[in-house]
Amino acid sequence: MYTFSDNLIKTLAEARKIAVLTGAGISAESGVATFRDPNGLWAKFRPEELASMDGFLKNPLLVWEWYQARREVIDRVKPNPGHTTLVAMQDWYEECGGSFTLITQNVDRLHQQAGSRDVLELHGNIIENYCSRCKKPHEYRYTADTDVKEPPRCGYCGGMIRPAVVWFGEMLPVDALEAAQDAASECEVFFSIGTSAEVYPAAGLPIEAKRAGAMFIEVNPNQTAITRYADVVIAAPSGEALPVLFEKVRAWQA
Ligand code: APR
């Protein structure tokens, strides 16, 4: 079972400004593949071929089918206790008059499905789509029985439709990134949960928070590129550790 220091529980119980960055690892216990784990997506596919505009233009069918396959998984999985604990934490901190900012690199929208509000999506989402030429949003809902064998075409300009995911080499949504950077610089506690911290600018947020004086807590069963900067390392699956941690915070009596 997981044990936590009184200092950690006291700090979390008394904090009023919390920021959280999540990565693919928080969805792992829901059955969604991560990217860089041994059996992750990048062990089977090359990111530049599948998660880039160049790759899409070179082989639109391959890229579209890869996203269809990921959508098929995401369409049937459910949030896990890691997701639902973050919802309970957001409720609790906001009821205490504090702030709770959830920043995610994930595109699966499991945070929103669990009930998280005002989620900052740094890498877009896999559910929505838009035209790769005129950028107009395109209404296309994935359904398991849709045997789409090539990207749909835009009704306005005929361009190929693409998922609303931020691809390598593309700009991150400025509003989300600025809000994430503000939260990192103003928070008292910054959680990095389920991310290898390999991709910037997201991976720089925990360090920015620490530099601004926040307690930096990492939740990850494995070491990452930023573990050495963490004040507290919870080397455990988030779906197991977060419910136990938050139960103790909620029960803390000063
Ligand atoms: N609980 C917490 N962490 C976990 C769990 C779990 N149950 N299972 C795995 N992890 C950790 C792994 O140890 C790893 O450090 O989750 C991390 C997942 O890392 P990545 O696969 O690199 O995913 P992520 O950090 O989200 O990747 C960032 O890279 O390819 C791009 O756009 C993509 O958003 C993605 C970005």
Side-chain angles (χ1 to χ4, degrees), residues 22-29 33-37 40-42 47 51 70 80 104-107 123 165-168 193-199 202 218-224 234 236-240:
T22 62
I26 198 166
S27 296
E29 290 156 91
T34 62
F35 293 95
R36 294 172 183 83
D37 281 328
L41 291 171
W42 297 150
R70 288 179 64 193
N80 67 61
T104 191
Q105 300 170 90
N106 298 343
V107 296
H123 295 169
V165 173
V166 176
W167 280 336
F168 285 103
I193 303 172
T195 181
S196 61
E198 298 281 343
V199 174
E218 182 175 58
V219 182
N220 192 322
N222 302 306
Q223 295 259 329
T224 71
I234 301 174
S238 44
E240 293 176 19

mmCIF file of all heavy atoms in Angstrom, residues 22-29 33-37 40-42 47 51 70 80 104-107 123 165-168 193-199 202 218-224 234 236-240, ligand 1:
data_model
loop_
_atom_site.group_PDB
_atom_site.id
_atom_site.type_symbol
_atom_site.label_atom_id
_atom_site.label_comp_id
_atom_site.label_asym_id
_atom_site.label_seq_id
_atom_site.Cartn_x
_atom_site.Cartn_y
_atom_site.Cartn_z
ATOM 1 N N THR A 22 -0.762 16.132 -17.375
ATOM 2 C CA THR A 22 -0.846 14.681 -17.582
ATOM 3 C C THR A 22 -0.344 14.302 -18.967
ATOM 4 O O THR A 22 -0.365 15.101 -19.906
ATOM 5 C CB THR A 22 -2.302 14.178 -17.440
ATOM 6 O OG1 THR A 22 -3.122 14.798 -18.438
ATOM 7 C CG2 THR A 22 -2.852 14.466 -16.053
ATOM 8 N N GLY A 23 0.071 13.041 -19.047
ATOM 9 C CA GLY A 23 0.512 12.450 -20.302
ATOM 10 C C GLY A 23 -0.180 11.103 -20.472
ATOM 11 O O GLY A 23 -1.051 10.719 -19.691
ATOM 12 N N ALA A 24 0.262 10.393 -21.508
ATOM 13 C CA ALA A 24 -0.404 9.144 -21.903
ATOM 14 C C ALA A 24 -0.502 8.133 -20.770
ATOM 15 O O ALA A 24 -1.400 7.286 -20.735
ATOM 16 C CB ALA A 24 0.344 8.537 -23.090
ATOM 17 N N GLY A 25 0.423 8.214 -19.818
ATOM 18 C CA GLY A 25 0.445 7.225 -18.730
ATOM 19 C C GLY A 25 -0.809 7.213 -17.895
ATOM 20 O O GLY A 25 -1.220 6.171 -17.378
ATOM 21 N N ILE A 26 -1.501 8.375 -17.766
ATOM 22 C CA ILE A 26 -2.705 8.381 -16.933
ATOM 23 C C ILE A 26 -3.841 7.614 -17.615
ATOM 24 O O ILE A 26 -4.768 7.133 -16.954
ATOM 25 C CB ILE A 26 -3.148 9.809 -16.569
ATOM 26 C CG1 ILE A 26 -4.115 9.760 -15.358
ATOM 27 C CG2 ILE A 26 -3.800 10.542 -17.763
ATOM 28 C CD1 ILE A 26 -4.379 11.071 -14.688
ATOM 29 N N SER A 27 -3.750 7.442 -18.933
ATOM 30 C CA SER A 27 -4.785 6.662 -19.639
ATOM 31 C C SER A 27 -4.389 5.194 -19.812
ATOM 32 O O SER A 27 -5.200 4.387 -20.297
ATOM 33 C CB SER A 27 -5.061 7.286 -21.018
ATOM 34 O OG SER A 27 -5.595 8.595 -20.853
ATOM 35 N N ALA A 28 -3.155 4.853 -19.410
ATOM 36 C CA ALA A 28 -2.671 3.469 -19.625
ATOM 37 C C ALA A 28 -3.582 2.455 -18.930
ATOM 38 O O ALA A 28 -3.930 1.413 -19.496
ATOM 39 C CB ALA A 28 -1.241 3.336 -19.124
ATOM 40 N N GLU A 29 -4.033 2.800 -17.703
ATOM 41 C CA GLU A 29 -4.863 1.832 -16.953
ATOM 42 C C GLU A 29 -6.286 1.763 -17.508
ATOM 43 O O GLU A 29 -7.089 0.938 -17.068
ATOM 44 C CB GLU A 29 -4.864 2.194 -15.462
ATOM 45 C CG GLU A 29 -3.501 1.945 -14.812
ATOM 46 C CD GLU A 29 -3.273 2.789 -13.576
ATOM 47 O OE1 GLU A 29 -3.591 2.332 -12.474
ATOM 48 O OE2 GLU A 29 -2.745 3.900 -13.715
ATOM 49 N N ALA A 33 -2.878 2.777 -25.303
ATOM 50 C CA ALA A 33 -1.412 2.607 -25.407
ATOM 51 C C ALA A 33 -0.701 3.950 -25.204
ATOM 52 O O ALA A 33 -1.186 4.994 -25.655
ATOM 53 C CB ALA A 33 -1.059 2.055 -26.787
ATOM 54 N N THR A 34 0.436 3.886 -24.496
ATOM 55 C CA THR A 34 1.261 5.106 -24.390
ATOM 56 C C THR A 34 2.126 5.170 -25.648
ATOM 57 O O THR A 34 1.935 4.402 -26.595
ATOM 58 C CB THR A 34 2.165 5.007 -23.142
ATOM 59 O OG1 THR A 34 3.032 3.875 -23.323
ATOM 60 C CG2 THR A 34 1.344 4.835 -21.870
ATOM 61 N N PHE A 35 3.035 6.123 -25.674
ATOM 62 C CA PHE A 35 3.873 6.292 -26.868
ATOM 63 C C PHE A 35 5.241 5.633 -26.696
ATOM 64 O O PHE A 35 5.724 4.941 -27.600
ATOM 65 C CB PHE A 35 4.060 7.788 -27.159
ATOM 66 C CG PHE A 35 2.773 8.458 -27.568
ATOM 67 C CD1 PHE A 35 1.989 9.117 -26.630
ATOM 68 C CD2 PHE A 35 2.341 8.390 -28.885
ATOM 69 C CE1 PHE A 35 0.790 9.719 -26.999
ATOM 70 C CE2 PHE A 35 1.136 8.997 -29.265
ATOM 71 C CZ PHE A 35 0.361 9.652 -28.316
ATOM 72 N N ARG A 36 5.880 5.859 -25.511
ATOM 73 C CA ARG A 36 7.289 5.476 -25.394
ATOM 74 C C ARG A 36 7.538 4.305 -24.454
ATOM 75 O O ARG A 36 8.673 3.963 -24.184
ATOM 76 C CB ARG A 36 8.128 6.710 -24.970
ATOM 77 C CG ARG A 36 8.127 7.783 -26.057
ATOM 78 C CD ARG A 36 8.758 9.098 -25.639
ATOM 79 N NE ARG A 36 8.626 10.066 -26.733
ATOM 80 C CZ ARG A 36 7.525 10.786 -26.946
ATOM 81 N NH1 ARG A 36 6.459 10.650 -26.131
ATOM 82 N NH2 ARG A 36 7.433 11.634 -27.957
ATOM 83 N N ASP A 37 6.468 3.711 -23.928
ATOM 84 C CA ASP A 37 6.685 2.488 -23.148
ATOM 85 C C ASP A 37 7.116 1.380 -24.109
ATOM 86 O O ASP A 37 6.918 1.505 -25.328
ATOM 87 C CB ASP A 37 5.385 2.095 -22.422
ATOM 88 C CG ASP A 37 5.189 2.963 -21.164
ATOM 89 O OD1 ASP A 37 6.197 3.348 -20.557
ATOM 90 O OD2 ASP A 37 4.030 3.266 -20.837
ATOM 91 N N GLY A 40 4.684 0.652 -26.517
ATOM 92 C CA GLY A 40 3.971 1.875 -26.895
ATOM 93 C C GLY A 40 3.861 2.059 -28.401
ATOM 94 O O GLY A 40 4.440 1.310 -29.203
ATOM 95 N N LEU A 41 3.140 3.115 -28.777
ATOM 96 C CA LEU A 41 2.864 3.347 -30.202
ATOM 97 C C LEU A 41 4.138 3.605 -30.991
ATOM 98 O O LEU A 41 4.290 3.156 -32.134
ATOM 99 C CB LEU A 41 1.909 4.548 -30.346
ATOM 100 C CG LEU A 41 0.484 4.307 -29.839
ATOM 101 C CD1 LEU A 41 -0.308 5.611 -29.825
ATOM 102 C CD2 LEU A 41 -0.226 3.258 -30.695
ATOM 103 N N TRP A 42 5.084 4.309 -30.379
ATOM 104 C CA TRP A 42 6.314 4.621 -31.142
ATOM 105 C C TRP A 42 7.250 3.439 -31.213
ATOM 106 O O TRP A 42 8.282 3.506 -31.880
ATOM 107 C CB TRP A 42 7.010 5.846 -30.562
ATOM 108 C CG TRP A 42 6.233 7.129 -30.628
ATOM 109 C CD1 TRP A 42 6.314 8.168 -29.752
ATOM 110 C CD2 TRP A 42 5.229 7.519 -31.579
ATOM 111 N NE1 TRP A 42 5.470 9.174 -30.110
ATOM 112 C CE2 TRP A 42 4.765 8.805 -31.224
ATOM 113 C CE3 TRP A 42 4.687 6.910 -32.707
ATOM 114 C CZ2 TRP A 42 3.797 9.486 -31.941
ATOM 115 C CZ3 TRP A 42 3.711 7.585 -33.432
ATOM 116 C CH2 TRP A 42 3.270 8.857 -33.059
ATOM 117 N N PRO A 47 6.863 8.208 -35.499
ATOM 118 C CA PRO A 47 6.031 9.396 -35.300
ATOM 119 C C PRO A 47 5.996 10.313 -36.521
ATOM 120 O O PRO A 47 4.948 10.803 -36.912
ATOM 121 C CB PRO A 47 6.669 10.099 -34.102
ATOM 122 C CG PRO A 47 7.803 9.280 -33.645
ATOM 123 C CD PRO A 47 7.889 8.053 -34.451
ATOM 124 N N ALA A 51 2.392 11.144 -37.359
ATOM 125 C CA ALA A 51 1.908 12.295 -36.579
ATOM 126 C C ALA A 51 2.571 13.566 -37.094
ATOM 127 O O ALA A 51 3.176 14.333 -36.342
ATOM 128 C CB ALA A 51 2.234 12.078 -35.106
ATOM 129 N N ARG A 70 -6.902 4.171 -33.580
ATOM 130 C CA ARG A 70 -6.797 4.749 -32.218
ATOM 131 C C ARG A 70 -8.173 5.186 -31.731
ATOM 132 O O ARG A 70 -8.522 5.039 -30.558
ATOM 133 C CB ARG A 70 -5.815 5.922 -32.225
ATOM 134 C CG ARG A 70 -4.369 5.477 -32.361
ATOM 135 C CD ARG A 70 -3.419 6.648 -32.385
ATOM 136 N NE ARG A 70 -3.435 7.405 -31.133
ATOM 137 C CZ ARG A 70 -2.873 8.627 -31.013
ATOM 138 N NH1 ARG A 70 -2.315 9.205 -32.066
ATOM 139 N NH2 ARG A 70 -2.892 9.258 -29.868
ATOM 140 N N ASN A 80 -10.259 5.954 -15.813
ATOM 141 C CA ASN A 80 -9.883 5.079 -14.689
ATOM 142 C C ASN A 80 -9.788 5.911 -13.414
ATOM 143 O O ASN A 80 -9.964 7.150 -13.462
ATOM 144 C CB ASN A 80 -8.565 4.359 -15.028
ATOM 145 C CG ASN A 80 -7.377 5.291 -15.119
ATOM 146 O OD1 ASN A 80 -7.012 5.955 -14.155
ATOM 147 N ND2 ASN A 80 -6.798 5.405 -16.310
ATOM 148 N N THR A 104 -3.282 18.890 -20.217
ATOM 149 C CA THR A 104 -3.009 17.538 -20.699
ATOM 150 C C THR A 104 -2.352 17.540 -22.069
ATOM 151 O O THR A 104 -2.590 18.444 -22.882
ATOM 152 C CB THR A 104 -4.277 16.661 -20.727
ATOM 153 O OG1 THR A 104 -3.885 15.294 -20.959
ATOM 154 C CG2 THR A 104 -5.250 17.116 -21.811
ATOM 155 N N GLN A 105 -1.510 16.538 -22.282
ATOM 156 C CA GLN A 105 -0.923 16.296 -23.603
ATOM 157 C C GLN A 105 -1.780 15.262 -24.345
ATOM 158 O O GLN A 105 -1.547 14.990 -25.507
ATOM 159 C CB GLN A 105 0.501 15.757 -23.472
ATOM 160 C CG GLN A 105 1.440 16.695 -22.749
ATOM 161 C CD GLN A 105 2.752 16.027 -22.433
ATOM 162 O OE1 GLN A 105 3.698 16.071 -23.221
ATOM 163 N NE2 GLN A 105 2.838 15.372 -21.279
ATOM 164 N N ASN A 106 -2.731 14.679 -23.620
ATOM 165 C CA ASN A 106 -3.516 13.586 -24.185
ATOM 166 C C ASN A 106 -4.601 14.119 -25.118
ATOM 167 O O ASN A 106 -5.092 15.229 -24.943
ATOM 168 C CB ASN A 106 -4.153 12.749 -23.073
ATOM 169 C CG ASN A 106 -3.099 12.095 -22.194
ATOM 170 O OD1 ASN A 106 -1.922 12.005 -22.584
ATOM 171 N ND2 ASN A 106 -3.484 11.663 -21.014
ATOM 172 N N VAL A 107 -4.928 13.296 -26.093
ATOM 173 C CA VAL A 107 -5.934 13.693 -27.098
ATOM 174 C C VAL A 107 -7.199 12.840 -26.969
ATOM 175 O O VAL A 107 -8.132 12.985 -27.750
ATOM 176 C CB VAL A 107 -5.339 13.555 -28.526
ATOM 177 C CG1 VAL A 107 -4.176 14.524 -28.704
ATOM 178 C CG2 VAL A 107 -4.923 12.126 -28.846
ATOM 179 N N HIS A 123 -2.100 19.359 -26.990
ATOM 180 C CA HIS A 123 -1.844 18.646 -28.253
ATOM 181 C C HIS A 123 -3.121 18.352 -29.017
ATOM 182 O O HIS A 123 -3.170 17.445 -29.838
ATOM 183 C CB HIS A 123 -1.064 17.344 -27.976
ATOM 184 C CG HIS A 123 0.311 17.618 -27.426
ATOM 185 N ND1 HIS A 123 1.115 16.626 -26.901
ATOM 186 C CD2 HIS A 123 1.019 18.764 -27.298
ATOM 187 C CE1 HIS A 123 2.256 17.154 -26.487
ATOM 188 N NE2 HIS A 123 2.219 18.460 -26.704
ATOM 189 N N VAL A 165 -5.571 16.858 -33.984
ATOM 190 C CA VAL A 165 -4.424 16.591 -33.109
ATOM 191 C C VAL A 165 -3.275 17.497 -33.554
ATOM 192 O O VAL A 165 -3.111 17.742 -34.746
ATOM 193 C CB VAL A 165 -3.993 15.108 -33.234
ATOM 194 C CG1 VAL A 165 -2.700 14.834 -32.473
ATOM 195 C CG2 VAL A 165 -5.096 14.198 -32.740
ATOM 196 N N VAL A 166 -2.485 18.018 -32.619
ATOM 197 C CA VAL A 166 -1.316 18.834 -32.983
ATOM 198 C C VAL A 166 -0.209 17.875 -33.405
ATOM 199 O O VAL A 166 0.246 17.046 -32.603
ATOM 200 C CB VAL A 166 -0.834 19.691 -31.794
ATOM 201 C CG1 VAL A 166 0.437 20.463 -32.177
ATOM 202 C CG2 VAL A 166 -1.930 20.660 -31.352
ATOM 203 N N TRP A 167 0.229 17.951 -34.645
ATOM 204 C CA TRP A 167 1.271 17.067 -35.159
ATOM 205 C C TRP A 167 2.656 17.630 -34.892
ATOM 206 O O TRP A 167 2.805 18.825 -34.638
ATOM 207 C CB TRP A 167 1.047 16.852 -36.659
ATOM 208 C CG TRP A 167 -0.021 15.815 -36.939
ATOM 209 C CD1 TRP A 167 -0.423 14.804 -36.115
ATOM 210 C CD2 TRP A 167 -0.804 15.709 -38.128
ATOM 211 N NE1 TRP A 167 -1.433 14.083 -36.723
ATOM 212 C CE2 TRP A 167 -1.668 14.587 -37.957
ATOM 213 C CE3 TRP A 167 -0.857 16.415 -39.335
ATOM 214 C CZ2 TRP A 167 -2.572 14.183 -38.944
ATOM 215 C CZ3 TRP A 167 -1.755 16.017 -40.314
ATOM 216 C CH2 TRP A 167 -2.609 14.910 -40.123
ATOM 217 N N PHE A 168 3.647 16.763 -34.939
ATOM 218 C CA PHE A 168 5.031 17.209 -34.762
ATOM 219 C C PHE A 168 5.325 18.337 -35.758
ATOM 220 O O PHE A 168 4.932 18.262 -36.916
ATOM 221 C CB PHE A 168 5.989 16.036 -34.987
ATOM 222 C CG PHE A 168 6.002 15.072 -33.836
ATOM 223 C CD1 PHE A 168 5.325 13.869 -33.922
ATOM 224 C CD2 PHE A 168 6.653 15.391 -32.645
ATOM 225 C CE1 PHE A 168 5.311 12.971 -32.861
ATOM 226 C CE2 PHE A 168 6.647 14.499 -31.575
ATOM 227 C CZ PHE A 168 5.969 13.294 -31.684
ATOM 228 N N ILE A 193 2.007 13.919 -14.131
ATOM 229 C CA ILE A 193 1.443 12.567 -13.985
ATOM 230 C C ILE A 193 1.463 11.847 -15.327
ATOM 231 O O ILE A 193 0.865 12.302 -16.305
ATOM 232 C CB ILE A 193 -0.009 12.635 -13.473
ATOM 233 C CG1 ILE A 193 -0.086 13.388 -12.144
ATOM 234 C CG2 ILE A 193 -0.598 11.224 -13.340
ATOM 235 C CD1 ILE A 193 -1.510 13.670 -11.650
ATOM 236 N N GLY A 194 2.151 10.705 -15.394
ATOM 237 C CA GLY A 194 2.070 9.846 -16.579
ATOM 238 C C GLY A 194 2.665 10.421 -17.831
ATOM 239 O O GLY A 194 2.172 10.162 -18.933
ATOM 240 N N THR A 195 3.729 11.215 -17.678
ATOM 241 C CA THR A 195 4.403 11.704 -18.883
ATOM 242 C C THR A 195 5.901 11.442 -18.776
ATOM 243 O O THR A 195 6.505 11.582 -17.724
ATOM 244 C CB THR A 195 4.139 13.201 -19.141
ATOM 245 O OG1 THR A 195 4.819 13.596 -20.339
ATOM 246 C CG2 THR A 195 4.608 14.087 -17.997
ATOM 247 N N SER A 196 6.483 11.095 -19.928
ATOM 248 C CA SER A 196 7.935 10.833 -19.963
ATOM 249 C C SER A 196 8.713 12.149 -19.985
ATOM 250 O O SER A 196 9.934 12.155 -19.883
ATOM 251 C CB SER A 196 8.266 10.028 -21.228
ATOM 252 O OG SER A 196 7.891 10.796 -22.376
ATOM 253 N N ALA A 197 8.009 13.246 -20.159
ATOM 254 C CA ALA A 197 8.640 14.584 -20.181
ATOM 255 C C ALA A 197 9.712 14.656 -21.276
ATOM 256 O O ALA A 197 10.787 15.210 -21.092
ATOM 257 C CB ALA A 197 9.241 14.919 -18.828
ATOM 258 N N GLU A 198 9.375 14.096 -22.433
ATOM 259 C CA GLU A 198 10.320 14.115 -23.573
ATOM 260 C C GLU A 198 9.968 15.192 -24.592
ATOM 261 O O GLU A 198 10.755 15.499 -25.471
ATOM 262 C CB GLU A 198 10.260 12.750 -24.298
ATOM 263 C CG GLU A 198 10.668 11.552 -23.455
ATOM 264 C CD GLU A 198 12.181 11.407 -23.338
ATOM 265 O OE1 GLU A 198 12.880 12.032 -24.152
ATOM 266 O OE2 GLU A 198 12.645 10.738 -22.404
ATOM 267 N N VAL A 199 8.726 15.697 -24.524
ATOM 268 C CA VAL A 199 8.255 16.607 -25.587
ATOM 269 C C VAL A 199 8.002 17.998 -25.000
ATOM 270 O O VAL A 199 7.220 18.156 -24.057
ATOM 271 C CB VAL A 199 6.983 16.041 -26.251
ATOM 272 C CG1 VAL A 199 6.391 17.032 -27.248
ATOM 273 C CG2 VAL A 199 7.298 14.718 -26.934
ATOM 274 N N ALA A 202 5.562 21.220 -23.338
ATOM 275 C CA ALA A 202 4.840 20.646 -22.179
ATOM 276 C C ALA A 202 5.826 20.225 -21.092
ATOM 277 O O ALA A 202 5.626 20.504 -19.908
ATOM 278 C CB ALA A 202 3.996 19.453 -22.629
ATOM 279 N N GLU A 218 5.995 14.233 -8.932
ATOM 280 C CA GLU A 218 5.894 13.400 -10.141
ATOM 281 C C GLU A 218 5.223 12.078 -9.783
ATOM 282 O O GLU A 218 5.596 11.444 -8.773
ATOM 283 C CB GLU A 218 7.269 13.129 -10.755
ATOM 284 C CG GLU A 218 7.176 12.307 -12.043
ATOM 285 C CD GLU A 218 8.510 12.131 -12.746
ATOM 286 O OE1 GLU A 218 9.433 11.595 -12.112
ATOM 287 O OE2 GLU A 218 8.638 12.556 -13.905
ATOM 288 N N VAL A 219 4.240 11.682 -10.590
ATOM 289 C CA VAL A 219 3.572 10.388 -10.404
ATOM 290 C C VAL A 219 3.823 9.560 -11.653
ATOM 291 O O VAL A 219 3.313 9.860 -12.738
ATOM 292 C CB VAL A 219 2.053 10.555 -10.185
ATOM 293 C CG1 VAL A 219 1.396 9.190 -9.933
ATOM 294 C CG2 VAL A 219 1.766 11.504 -9.026
ATOM 295 N N ASN A 220 4.675 8.549 -11.512
ATOM 296 C CA ASN A 220 5.080 7.749 -12.675
ATOM 297 C C ASN A 220 5.802 6.512 -12.156
ATOM 298 O O ASN A 220 6.716 6.640 -11.337
ATOM 299 C CB ASN A 220 6.033 8.585 -13.549
ATOM 300 C CG ASN A 220 6.265 7.956 -14.901
ATOM 301 O OD1 ASN A 220 6.367 6.740 -15.032
ATOM 302 N ND2 ASN A 220 6.319 8.792 -15.930
ATOM 303 N N PRO A 221 5.408 5.296 -12.621
ATOM 304 C CA PRO A 221 6.102 4.098 -12.112
ATOM 305 C C PRO A 221 7.580 4.060 -12.529
ATOM 306 O O PRO A 221 8.379 3.353 -11.953
ATOM 307 C CB PRO A 221 5.340 2.937 -12.754
ATOM 308 C CG PRO A 221 4.183 3.508 -13.479
ATOM 309 C CD PRO A 221 4.366 4.968 -13.581
ATOM 310 N N ASN A 222 7.908 4.831 -13.595
ATOM 311 C CA ASN A 222 9.292 4.817 -14.086
ATOM 312 C C ASN A 222 9.968 6.176 -13.916
ATOM 313 O O ASN A 222 9.306 7.197 -13.791
ATOM 314 C CB ASN A 222 9.282 4.446 -15.591
ATOM 315 C CG ASN A 222 8.608 3.103 -15.815
ATOM 316 O OD1 ASN A 222 8.976 2.107 -15.205
ATOM 317 N ND2 ASN A 222 7.568 3.087 -16.646
ATOM 318 N N GLN A 223 11.303 6.144 -13.981
ATOM 319 C CA GLN A 223 12.091 7.388 -13.972
ATOM 320 C C GLN A 223 11.821 8.124 -15.291
ATOM 321 O O GLN A 223 11.566 7.497 -16.329
ATOM 322 C CB GLN A 223 13.584 7.020 -13.922
ATOM 323 C CG GLN A 223 14.000 6.325 -12.639
ATOM 324 C CD GLN A 223 14.697 7.287 -11.689
ATOM 325 O OE1 GLN A 223 15.352 8.229 -12.118
ATOM 326 N NE2 GLN A 223 14.536 7.064 -10.408
ATOM 327 N N THR A 224 11.904 9.460 -15.234
ATOM 328 C CA THR A 224 11.759 10.222 -16.474
ATOM 329 C C THR A 224 12.909 11.236 -16.556
ATOM 330 O O THR A 224 13.742 11.324 -15.680
ATOM 331 C CB THR A 224 10.433 11.012 -16.477
ATOM 332 O OG1 THR A 224 10.585 12.089 -15.516
ATOM 333 C CG2 THR A 224 9.251 10.139 -16.101
ATOM 334 N N ILE A 234 6.307 9.845 -6.666
ATOM 335 C CA ILE A 234 5.389 8.739 -6.335
ATOM 336 C C ILE A 234 5.526 7.720 -7.465
ATOM 337 O O ILE A 234 4.959 7.883 -8.557
ATOM 338 C CB ILE A 234 3.937 9.248 -6.204
ATOM 339 C CG1 ILE A 234 3.849 10.328 -5.096
ATOM 340 C CG2 ILE A 234 2.978 8.093 -5.907
ATOM 341 C CD1 ILE A 234 2.485 11.010 -4.983
ATOM 342 N N ALA A 236 4.519 5.047 -8.847
ATOM 343 C CA ALA A 236 3.385 4.107 -8.829
ATOM 344 C C ALA A 236 2.431 4.454 -9.971
ATOM 345 O O ALA A 236 2.450 5.578 -10.482
ATOM 346 C CB ALA A 236 2.653 4.227 -7.506
ATOM 347 N N PRO A 237 1.579 3.483 -10.337
ATOM 348 C CA PRO A 237 0.573 3.784 -11.357
ATOM 349 C C PRO A 237 -0.403 4.850 -10.824
ATOM 350 O O PRO A 237 -0.843 4.763 -9.663
ATOM 351 C CB PRO A 237 -0.136 2.451 -11.568
ATOM 352 C CG PRO A 237 0.783 1.414 -11.006
ATOM 353 C CD PRO A 237 1.542 2.088 -9.901
ATOM 354 N N SER A 238 -0.744 5.837 -11.628
ATOM 355 C CA SER A 238 -1.584 6.946 -11.134
ATOM 356 C C SER A 238 -2.973 6.466 -10.704
ATOM 357 O O SER A 238 -3.542 6.996 -9.742
ATOM 358 C CB SER A 238 -1.721 8.024 -12.220
ATOM 359 O OG SER A 238 -1.963 7.440 -13.488
ATOM 360 N N GLY A 239 -3.481 5.453 -11.381
ATOM 361 C CA GLY A 239 -4.831 4.970 -11.049
ATOM 362 C C GLY A 239 -4.886 4.319 -9.677
ATOM 363 O O GLY A 239 -5.943 4.218 -9.070
ATOM 364 N N GLU A 240 -3.719 3.902 -9.174
ATOM 365 C CA GLU A 240 -3.671 3.306 -7.826
ATOM 366 C C GLU A 240 -3.278 4.358 -6.783
ATOM 367 O O GLU A 240 -3.884 4.445 -5.717
ATOM 368 C CB GLU A 240 -2.643 2.164 -7.814
ATOM 369 C CG GLU A 240 -3.043 0.963 -8.665
ATOM 370 C CD GLU A 240 -1.931 -0.103 -8.679
ATOM 371 O OE1 GLU A 240 -1.061 -0.076 -7.784
ATOM 372 O OE2 GLU A 240 -1.937 -0.942 -9.593
HETATM 373 N N1 APR B 1 0.544 5.665 -14.288
HETATM 374 C C1 APR B 1 1.416 6.707 -14.433
HETATM 375 N N2 APR B 1 2.350 6.764 -15.413
HETATM 376 C C2 APR B 1 2.415 5.715 -16.262
HETATM 377 C C3 APR B 1 1.553 4.603 -16.176
HETATM 378 C C4 APR B 1 0.586 4.614 -15.142
HETATM 379 N N3 APR B 1 -0.275 3.592 -14.973
HETATM 380 N N4 APR B 1 1.874 3.736 -17.183
HETATM 381 C C5 APR B 1 2.902 4.297 -17.869
HETATM 382 N N5 APR B 1 3.230 5.470 -17.307
HETATM 383 C C6 APR B 1 4.265 6.431 -17.724
HETATM 384 C C7 APR B 1 5.463 5.826 -18.420
HETATM 385 O O1 APR B 1 6.446 5.437 -17.485
HETATM 386 C C8 APR B 1 5.943 7.015 -19.262
HETATM 387 O O2 APR B 1 6.898 7.784 -18.550
HETATM 388 O O3 APR B 1 3.663 7.274 -18.668
HETATM 389 C C9 APR B 1 4.688 7.859 -19.464
HETATM 390 C C10 APR B 1 4.193 7.882 -20.896
HETATM 391 O O4 APR B 1 5.175 8.537 -21.664
HETATM 392 P P1 APR B 1 4.948 8.698 -23.239
HETATM 393 O O5 APR B 1 4.524 7.412 -23.817
HETATM 394 O O6 APR B 1 6.173 9.384 -23.781
HETATM 395 O O7 APR B 1 3.694 9.684 -23.357
HETATM 396 P P2 APR B 1 3.678 11.246 -23.166
HETATM 397 O O8 APR B 1 4.684 11.675 -22.149
HETATM 398 O O9 APR B 1 2.279 11.649 -22.964
HETATM 399 O O10 APR B 1 4.160 11.773 -24.614
HETATM 400 C C11 APR B 1 4.137 13.175 -24.805
HETATM 401 O O11 APR B 1 4.666 12.819 -27.133
HETATM 402 O O12 APR B 1 4.369 11.631 -29.069
HETATM 403 C C12 APR B 1 4.015 12.771 -28.404
HETATM 404 O O13 APR B 1 2.041 13.968 -28.772
HETATM 405 C C13 APR B 1 2.534 12.819 -28.157
HETATM 406 O O14 APR B 1 1.380 13.859 -26.309
HETATM 407 C C14 APR B 1 2.406 12.933 -26.648
HETATM 408 C C15 APR B 1 3.772 13.455 -26.235
#
